[in-house]
Amino acid sequence: MNMSSLRSTMSYNSKSSFDELRWVIHIRKTLEEELEDDGEFSVSIFNVPKLLMASDPDSYVPQQVAIGPYHYWRPELYEMQRYKLAAAKRFQKQLHTSLKLDNLVDQLTKLEQRIRSCYHKFLDFNCETLLWMMTVDASFLLEFLQVFAIQEGTKVPGVSCSMSHLVDYAGRKSAHNAILRDLVMLENQIPLFVLRKMLEFKFSSLEDADHMLILMFTGLFREISPFKMIEEYPNVQVSESVHLLDFLYDMIVPKLEKQPDTIEAEFQQEEDKEGNENSASDSTYIQQFSSEMWKILSKLNKGPVKMIKKVLVSRPLKVFVKLPWKIISNLPGAKLLKQPVEYFFSGDNEKPENNGNSTSSSHSLIHKPPSVEEITIPSVKELLNSGVRFLPTNGSISSISFDAKTRAFYLPTIGLDVNTQVFLRNLVAYEASVRSGPLVITRYTELMNGIIDSEEDAKILREKGIILNHLKSDQEVANMWNGMSKSLRLSKVPFLDKAIEDVNKYYNSRMKVKAWKFMKVYVFGSWQVLTFLAAICLLLLMALQAFCSVYTCSRFFGLALQPTTD
């Protein structure tokens, strides 16, 4: 069933079963309740944005088990209800003799409004239905997560026989991986304080409950996180996390503080630096151009080249070379060569825009968010051919950097398997929904999408030890990264943007790259320059013809063709 038919069916069912009287009673009851402080209970469980959902629905919609209210009543997922009920019965048996799940539900009644406030979507359930749903789903989730606590060396009850085909310590069973993918989906989360309350009810101690959750979540992180080579895990407290996906996000993404101020300060320094260097760099364009031309001509010493060299070392031309570049560039005919000369000898490899709007446009580019088109970086193969060395790191995303002196591009080692794409996509969706600061995961996926264009790029990173490929082929790796290009909003991440900028600066400074881009932009792609060069050649030929009509040119060319003797 595709997403459109699924949503239409759910919409139809909700309308056909709508009880107006119950709705009015619910509204009255809600308005009569005391107004609570909503600041502590902010929304944390969102619907996946439509743009991301349309790109790959299977990565956001649970396929095996529903946890929480968003997908609870889907028929194909409701088949897992018997396993959930069995897990709830086993959880009840592990409680003290005098306690039952009814007592737990009674305690959760005090948290009903807090539970509802965590969900972005309106929950059209009565109190008892919602709380029993939370209890049963949390029982199943905790029993499944026991596997990872066992892997961490903790003695907990083993998995029951009825759940043995769903859970696999080695993670080789398809059902195990399918449940893993479902548990990290944004729309398949339940509030973390519900899990803490249940374990506190079981162990009679909140500290023991938090310790068990840390073991479970850390073990799950080791299993599903693509960054398996991280040497030191951050100290993330379950009391500060709102749900499982939020905990996993904090384990991967470094804490970044005061990003806007940092970015503005960096841009201000760059702007001041550029302002001081502009006058000096402009005056050196013509000197650099003349120097390059002289190197080429100095190797030739025959025939008409002698005459050209005499002209180049003449006094008028020396005076011309010493003129400021701004004056030379405004001379008739020189305007056409202004952009090519500036492009070839400057560090900036972007094609210059309209001169009149250059100041305002550059100022606006500094303060506006980067667009997708601006996130450009050469592919792995292109960087490798230009001398860049790819080196793996045993760190997180924050370890990404580029050292221009050693030409080393440091990237964290990442393991790719059947669960990676779903995990990363839901991290991106959660990040876009809840984070107001830099989108670190989004920017990282855009970086990997930028450098991996083909199967060969993925193969190079695999051979360098940056990608640990557990998929079928390198082509699948390339397809995975190239399919993760959708993003909702754009932001700057200072350490990632600096690495991208440093790589582009090094790559664009290579003479081979600059020469090819120069030819592509200003020779093959510019009819103005071609027309100007054709006119110059025509004038030179006409001058040569006029010269030869007065003087005998055969003697000049004859001398040029005669072999020289040392």
Side-chain angles (χ1 to χ4, degrees), residues 195-260:
L195 300 180
R196 296 181 71 203
K197 191 68 176 179
M198 290 190 65
L199 289 179
E200 181 186 10
F201 195 70
K202 176 181 177 180
F203 296 120
S204 301
S205 169
L206 186 58
E207 292 183 0
D208 292 342
D210 288 348
H211 177 68
M212 178 59 67
L213 281 176
I214 284 289
L215 292 176
M216 291 178 176
F217 288 1
T218 304
L220 175 64
F221 177 78
R222 294 179 189 275
E223 173 70 20
I224 199 169
S225 172
F227 303 101
K228 301 183 186 297
M229 303 298 292
I230 297 179
E231 295 177 343
E232 295 184 5
Y233 292 120
N235 185 21
V236 180
Q237 301 296 325
V238 291
S239 58
E240 299 175 359
S241 302
V242 291
H243 49 68
L244 174 59
L245 186 62
D246 180 59
F247 179 89
L248 299 176
Y249 180 88
D250 290 339
M251 290 286 284
I252 293 178
V253 178
K255 294 292 184 182
L256 303 174
E257 299 178 356
K258 299 182 180 180
Q259 295 303 327

Side-chain angles (χ1 to χ4, degrees), residues 460-515:
I460 294 172
L461 292 184
R462 175 174 57 81
E463 293 174 345
K464 298 295 182 181
I466 294 173
I467 290 181
L468 305 177
N469 187 11
H470 301 292
L471 299 175
K472 294 180 181 179
S473 64
D474 294 325
Q475 185 61 51
E476 282 197 17
V477 174
N479 293 339
M480 189 200 81
W481 289 115
N482 292 331
M484 295 180 62
S485 58
K486 294 290 185 181
S487 60
L488 295 176
R489 62 185 178 88
L490 300 150
S491 69
K492 286 187 172 293
V493 181
F495 70 91
L496 282 177
D497 288 337
K498 184 179 186 304
I500 295 172
E501 180 184 356
D502 291 344
V503 169
N504 284 330
K505 186 176 181 180
Y506 167 79
Y507 179 78
N508 292 327
S509 66
R510 308 293 289 176
M511 186 57 64
K512 181 171 64 175
V513 175
K514 296 182 73 171

Side-chain angles (χ1 to χ4, degrees), residues 1 33 53 74 139 143 161 210 279 314 321 341 385 416 421 425-426 451 466 510:
M1 180 182 293
E33 292 176 350
M53 179 69 76
R74 284 177 53 197
S139 299
E143 180 167 333
C161 296
D210 288 348
S279 57
S314 61
V321 168
V341 172
N385 292 336
L416 304 180
Q421 181 171 190
R425 281 182 176 271
N426 281 273
I451 63 175
I466 294 173
R510 308 293 289 176

